[in-house]
Amino acid sequence: MERSHTGRRRNEAAHQAILDAALRLLAESEGAKVNIDAIAKAAGVGKQTVYRWWPSKGALLLDALTDRSEQDVARPDTGSLREDLLQLIESTFAGAQRVPTGPALRTLVREAAWDEHLAESLRTFALERREVAREALARGRERGELRANADLDLLLDQFYGLFWYRFIIGHAPLDRETAEELTDSLLR
């Protein structure tokens, strides 16, 4: 359905429709290239509208993943580092298994192997998600729940290393039990 023209102002419904269409098409593509024309058509907007708001397909896909991640992944601040980490890890695991997020993320990982612009978008996305976890760890350290000299980068590498390895290879679950074990392991 074609949306009415709104001039240069961003129409939030159209904006969200584009983000949702990009993620859905990426998830359904099974490795086939997803182009701006297809995203615009699926969102019911003109191609020029997409390009007015995003300079490239990579920027759009990054925005779509970030938007979905903001919806799916907790940003807890409960006052307990263990509870914050558990919520963050568990929601990261669960979010990556939902449709369309999981299939879209897998497709983006595959495409990033061949497309340096998408690789940079994926790197930016991963660093943004990592910063959310860093904030939780830093708060915990400030409250004395982590050693003052705890290496936050090493803890983050352990969390996201396990996540990405299991997400990509698929050899073991990303479930609540794993989230609890990982949380406890990070806090030892």
Side-chain angles (χ1 to χ4, degrees), residues 61-73:
L61 295 176
L62 171 62
D63 208 7
L65 278 173
T66 300
D67 176 69
R68 186 54 55 106
S69 189
E70 291 291 328
Q71 293 174 39
D72 290 349
V73 178

Side-chain angles (χ1 to χ4, degrees), residues 135-154:
E135 292 168 6
L137 290 170
R139 284 192 309 269
R141 185 167 57 186
E142 289 170 11
R143 292 189 302 256
E145 296 173 89
L146 275 180
R147 298 181 328 274
N149 66 346
D151 185 341
L152 300 187
D153 285 319
L154 181 60

